[in-house]
Amino acid sequence: MIKTDVLVIGAGPTGLFAVHQLGIIGLKTEVVDNLDKIGGQCIELYPDKPIYDIPAISECTGEELTKNLLKQIEPFKTTFHLNERVEELKKEGSNWKVTTSKKKVFITPNIIIAGGVGSFEPRKFSTKDVEKFEGKSVFYSIKDKNLFKDKKICIFGGGDSALDWAIELSNFSEVAIVHRRLEFRGAPLSIQTVKNLEKKGKVKIFAPYQLKSIEEDENKTLKSINLIDDDGKMKKLETDYVLGFFGLIMQLGPIVNWGLNLYKKTIQVNTENFQTNQEGIFAIGDICTYPGKLKLILSGFHEAALAARACYKLARPNEKYRFEFT
């Protein structure tokens, strides 16, 4: 059995900052994550994508943010249990007994769930024959943007990921955006930037269109795609790569059996300390919900700070908490 002051479930940015906030007030933390690497969605879905809304950092990638957060928690020598999922929780006195998929057992008074959107995978194209191109010329995330330099790229989607990557890749590639609706749903500034790029001829926009079929050459390599609009009108585009950004399919997994108050695949918390309906179990980041919730990394940082202070009271019930200032 591994005894610890706090068990953090999720090694994304919010979970990593929680480790920092717990560490500076003297609490020992263990971290469990279902992925095989540290960084959560930042590493799994957009390690190379620019992020602009981290305070005091004008621009960084998901990978850079993860590395900086890891450097910040180095003094606390935190143990990470990767490629491992929490399967069962059981209350034992004032502690929680936590069992993982690898049969590890943790004893702790505090659990912080920072699991992002839970277990996730990208929504994929429903078009026939796309699957055989996946991982070769059809992708749902970008691990290395250099793969797409000086290529013809067709991006599907109308949200922030599609728009951000269209803007980024237009710096060195020929980019087309395909969206099934006329209106985009991304940040207003990103929408305006893409439209300005279209006027300059650096980005082409095809809306409302959807993917109809894929054509390959004699080497079984992606050659072109066929699009169809709402009236059945067809359009052919030559392209080297197809990128689909349709959001994520979220699965909470075993969390649904933990006796927590759930709402639309999120966990309800209070805003005093982000505790759930179960004492000693907290939820922060994208997986929690409350009135006025914003799904931003910086919001998760704030939630982590308050949850950490509440953990201190349960981990050190006979000690007075004194650390109050930056």
Side-chain angles (χ1 to χ4, degrees):
M1 290 186 181
I2 302 172
K3 292 185 178 181
T4 185
D5 292 322
V6 186
L7 178 68
V8 173
I9 302 172
T14 301
L16 294 178
F17 190 69
V19 170
H20 175 266
Q21 291 295 292
L22 293 161
I24 60 175
I25 60 177
L27 297 185
K28 171 64 177 171
T29 307
E30 302 276 331
V31 182
V32 173
D33 196 290
N34 194 38
L35 296 175
D36 60 358
K37 60 183 78 69
I38 298 171
Q41 293 181 60
C42 278
I43 290 297
E44 190 70 8
L45 296 181
Y46 48 91
D48 219 13
K49 174 179 165 301
I51 301 173
Y52 302 104
D53 59 355
I54 304 300
I57 301 176
S58 60
E59 178 185 334
C60 67
T61 65
E63 184 176 14
E64 289 168 342
L65 177 62
T66 300
K67 287 181 177 178
N68 287 338
L69 287 165
L70 283 171
K71 185 176 181 180
Q72 194 175 30
I73 65 174
E74 276 182 1
F76 310 124
K77 295 178 172 56
T78 305
T79 302
F80 288 85
H81 307 267
L82 301 177
N83 210 14
E84 197 161 352
R85 187 167 76 171
V86 171
E87 295 287 350
E88 185 180 359
L89 301 181
K90 185 179 179 182
K91 190 75 171 179
E92 290 191 349
S94 59
N95 289 318
W96 289 96
K97 181 180 179 182
V98 182
T99 306
T100 72
S101 55
K102 292 185 178 179
K103 304 305 178 185
K104 286 181 187 172
V105 177
F106 297 86
I107 301 296
T108 179
N110 298 293
I111 297 169
I112 294 180
I113 303 172
V117 292
S119 299
F120 60 89
E121 63 179 48
R123 295 184 185 277
K124 297 185 176 183
F125 290 99
S126 58
T127 309
K128 187 179 179 181
D129 294 334
V130 169
E131 188 174 340
K132 66 181 179 181
F133 294 101
E134 290 177 358
K136 300 174 183 177
S137 49
V138 175
F139 297 91
Y140 299 99
S141 65
I142 295 178
K143 303 294 174 67
D144 181 7
K145 65 183 178 183
N146 292 315
L147 175 66
F148 307 102
K149 277 190 175 181
D150 302 317
K151 301 292 184 180
K152 294 180 181 178
I153 315 297
C154 190
I155 297 175
F156 285 77
D160 286 315
S161 292
L163 296 173
D164 289 348
W165 275 120
I167 295 168
E168 182 70 14
L169 296 180
S170 70
N171 291 317
F172 47 72
S173 300
E174 188 177 319
V175 176
I177 303 178
V178 180
H179 187 39
R180 61 179 179 173
R181 298 188 181 93
L182 286 172
E183 302 82 16
F184 290 95
R185 62 183 189 281
L189 178 60
S190 297
I191 295 173
Q192 189 58 52
T193 300
V194 166
K195 289 183 177 179
N196 291 339
L197 289 171
E198 183 188 27
K199 291 178 182 177
K200 295 177 182 179
K202 299 193 72 176
V203 169
K204 295 179 181 178
I205 298 176
F206 298 93
Y209 276 96
Q210 297 186 59
L211 181 64
K212 176 67 175 177
S213 61
I214 289 182
E215 295 184 9
E216 58 188 11
D217 59 21
E218 62 276 5
N219 298 316
K220 305 295 182 181
T221 302
L222 176 65
K223 178 183 177 183
S224 62
I225 58 174
N226 294 309
L227 308 178
I228 187 170
D229 68 7
D230 294 342
D231 299 321
K233 182 181 177 182
M234 301 285 290
K235 182 178 291 291
K236 177 180 286 191
L237 290 182
E238 289 189 1
T239 187
D240 298 305
Y241 293 101
V242 172
L243 304 175
F245 297 108
F246 306 117
L248 303 171
I249 300 172
M250 298 175 286
Q251 302 292 342
L252 288 182
I255 292 177
V256 299
N257 301 316
W258 294 353
L260 304 175
N261 286 340
L262 302 178
Y263 176 74
K264 293 184 178 179
K265 296 186 179 180
T266 56
I267 303 170
Q268 294 179 322
V269 296
N270 66 55
T271 51
E272 179 183 0
N273 54 21
F274 300 93
Q275 189 167 233
T276 67
N277 60 306
Q278 300 278 6
E279 185 181 35
I281 300 182
F282 305 82
I284 61 176
D286 287 357
I287 204 165
C288 79
T289 187
Y290 52 85
K293 167 72 178 182
L294 276 177
K295 289 192 174 185
L296 299 174
I297 293 175
L298 66 90
S299 300
F301 290 168
H302 159 74
E303 295 157 9
L306 291 185
R309 273 64 182 177
C311 287
Y312 188 91
K313 296 177 182 178
L314 294 175
R316 304 279 192 275
N318 299 320
E319 298 180 22
K320 187 174 181 179
Y321 173 77
R322 298 183 184 279
F323 189 90
E324 297 180 2
F325 305 104
T326 295

